[in-house]
Amino acid sequence: MKATTWVGKDKVKVVDVPDPKIMNSRDAIVKISSTAICGSDLHLYHGYIPAMREGDILGHEFMGEVVEVGPEVGNLAVGDRVVVPFPIACGRCRSCQQGLFSVCENSNPNAGFAEKLMGHSPAGIFGYSHLTGGYAGGQAEYARVPFADVGPLKVPDEVPDDQALMLADIFPTGYMGAEMCDITPGDVVAVWGAGPVGLLAAASARLLGAERVIVIDRYPYRLRLAADRAGAEVLNYEETDVLDALNELTAGRGPDACIDAVGLEGHHGNAAMYAYDRAKQAARVETERPFALREAILACRSGGVVSVIGAYGGFVDKFPMGAFMNRSLIMRTGQCHVQRYTRPLLERIRRGEIDPSFVISHHLPLKDAAKGYQIFQKKQDDCTKVVLKV
Ligand SMILES: [Zn+2]
Ligand SMILES: [Zn+2]
């Protein structure tokens, strides 16, 4: 089959690889119809996530048709159309039983490696380095789906691929980011980052009853989407002092909740700050450029929630712990527990409450995956989200 593989920094290639096979009685094989490139794939592309190897198959957002099932997969049949959550979860361990699927205790075969870096291991993830299991990803013609009796969600025919595919990661991730904000009527929620996840976090905050949502980015075409499709007010941080503007918009108190949908490769309007973190990251003295996180903490009203859904990999420098502690802030974070959200969010799509496919800007054939990475990385042609058709 054809698959998109990681070659090295800023390089991916579609090559022929062996077809996946059932290896475990709870596996299924899915013939992929649509698969997306994620902002977090760009962290792999740029070489910021450790433990990628040449030839690793990329992709954790995919859907398609079940073509083979293991003997213990009673809930799926050959021919079912499914979308697959990005975290791999057994459904039976203590974390899974609590709905914490992205920290499943049984799905990362390289747990010992992750424990060295993180203390305990998170779940395995499709196509996301050997730190999270070294699983083959779904930017390919076929994928092996472990624990297929737990993760994949059957998709009714009337829901098109573009909508259903967003349930693999970014809609649940954005939604969880908003849910973690404990939104009550009248709340103001600020979102750093108008990428696909930030846009869906903003739209979800509106769904959950936020009175006002303010989105911060520097790309006018993305801010336009936030305003037009997520009902947000927008701030361009290259034109405005964000902290001043947020205070002005909230009578000096700050937003009730602040969502970091940027993560480890942030950019900062202040050139000196940017150079400081860029240099430390390049020297691997810190692994992240946490501008959005720092600003979200400083902006948040006292007693408010800082919700972190942007991806981080290691350590951050200059974390404003003084502000955090003295102003009674709350932080909630996590890779999304996607399996918890797929069904209810599919229902929201079917009821017409939201169409998460508004973030998609490009459709390309799988063979053009390298071009997809490039235009997404360079934000060419007003790129927000690339879907590869197989
Ligand atoms: Zn993703
Ligand atoms: Zn589990």
Side-chain angles (χ1 to χ4, degrees):
M1 69 163 182
K2 300 271 184 224
T4 309
T5 57
W6 191 83
V7 179
K9 192 175 166 331
D10 294 346
K11 202 158 178 222
V12 305
K13 200 171 172 188
V14 176
V15 297
D16 284 302
V17 299
D19 287 355
K21 291 188 173 58
I22 299 269
M23 290 167 67
N24 183 291
S25 56
R26 293 171 71 192
D27 287 353
I29 304 292
V30 172
K31 181 179 191 297
I32 292 159
S33 56
S34 296
T35 172
I37 304 174
C38 182
S40 63
D41 290 326
L42 292 181
H43 303 321
L44 304 176
Y45 189 63
H46 296 151
Y48 285 120
I49 303 288
M52 287 301 289
R53 292 183 202 149
E54 185 172 349
D56 285 348
I57 300 174
L58 294 162
H60 59 266
E61 301 180 4
F62 59 94
M63 64 177 297
E65 185 190 328
V66 175
V67 290
E68 205 182 339
V69 290
E72 279 187 76
V73 184
N75 56 320
L76 295 179
V78 169
D80 283 346
R81 181 166 168 256
V82 293
V83 59
V84 180
F86 78 84
I88 299 170
C90 77
R92 294 178 186 169
C93 70
R94 186 182 158 94
S95 294
C96 284
Q97 290 293 316
Q98 293 177 333
L100 301 170
F101 296 98
S102 76
V103 288
C104 171
E105 294 154 37
N106 287 325
S107 62
N108 186 358
N110 300 335
F113 181 22
E115 282 162 9
K116 286 202 180 76
L117 191 67
M118 299 185 189
H120 299 275
S121 176
I125 296 177
F126 290 101
Y128 211 73
S129 93
H130 293 267
L131 190 64
T132 50
Y135 289 98
Q139 287 163 10
E141 289 181 298
Y142 294 88
R144 178 177 77 94
V145 177
F147 304 123
D149 53 327
V150 177
L153 175 78
K154 281 192 232 179
V155 180
D157 289 341
E158 73 267 19
V159 178
D161 268 28
D162 277 0
Q163 292 184 345
L165 181 60
M166 300 300 108
L167 293 169
D169 174 357
I170 63 167
F171 184 22
T173 295
Y175 188 88
M176 186 171 111
E179 194 185 63
M180 290 192 295
C181 293
D182 290 341
I183 294 167
T184 54
D187 274 2
V188 179
V189 176
V191 182
W192 275 255
V197 167
L199 289 168
L200 287 167
S204 297
R206 297 290 299 206
L207 275 181
L208 290 170
E211 186 171 302
R212 291 165 65 201
V213 176
I214 303 161
V215 173
I216 300 138
D217 204 294
R218 66 176 167 141
Y219 292 100
Y221 75 94
R222 292 186 169 195
L223 290 172
R224 263 196 309 278
L225 271 180
D228 294 348
R229 302 301 299 268
E233 298 161 62
V234 297
L235 294 175
N236 185 328
Y237 66 79
E238 289 190 328
E239 294 167 0
T240 320
D241 182 288
V242 172
L243 293 179
D244 284 352
L246 288 173
N247 278 332
E248 215 161 281
L249 290 164
T250 55
R253 208 186 315 122
D256 298 286
C258 293
I259 299 175
D260 170 4
V262 175
L264 69 90
E265 288 188 71
H267 180 270
H268 199 278
N270 179 318
M273 273 270 267
Y274 183 69
Y276 171 84
D277 283 288
R278 187 74 192 80
K280 289 202 96 168
Q281 192 180 42
R284 300 296 193 263
V285 176
E286 68 176 335
T287 52
E288 337 285 64
R289 302 199 298 264
F291 310 115
L293 179 59
R294 288 187 196 125
E295 199 165 68
I297 290 168
L298 296 179
C300 195
R301 77 153 160 83
S302 295
V305 177
V306 177
S307 165
V308 182
I309 48 174
Y312 288 87
F315 298 87
V316 306
D317 193 17
K318 292 199 162 30
F319 182 87
M321 192 60 203
F324 208 83
M325 188 269 162
N326 288 289
R327 296 204 296 105
S328 297
L329 296 175
I330 298 159
M331 185 190 284
R332 296 212 181 89
T333 185
Q335 292 281 3
C336 184
H337 307 295
V338 177
Q339 286 83 339
R340 205 157 82 187
Y341 296 98
T342 45
R343 260 166 234 285
L345 294 185
L346 176 67
E347 285 314 307
R348 283 190 186 266
I349 292 172
R350 291 180 81 180
R351 288 197 298 266
E353 291 174 24
I354 183 167
D355 173 2
S357 68
F358 78 84
V359 301
I360 299 170
S361 56
H362 289 73
H363 293 89
L364 293 172
L366 177 67
K367 69 175 172 59
D368 291 342
K371 185 182 166 202
Y373 272 82
Q374 200 184 12
I375 58 174
F376 186 35
Q377 176 206 13
K378 300 205 162 109
K379 302 186 174 68
Q380 290 165 341
D381 191 24
D382 287 1
C383 185
T384 35
K385 181 90 177 158
V386 178
V387 171
L388 303 170
K389 301 300 287 184
V390 187

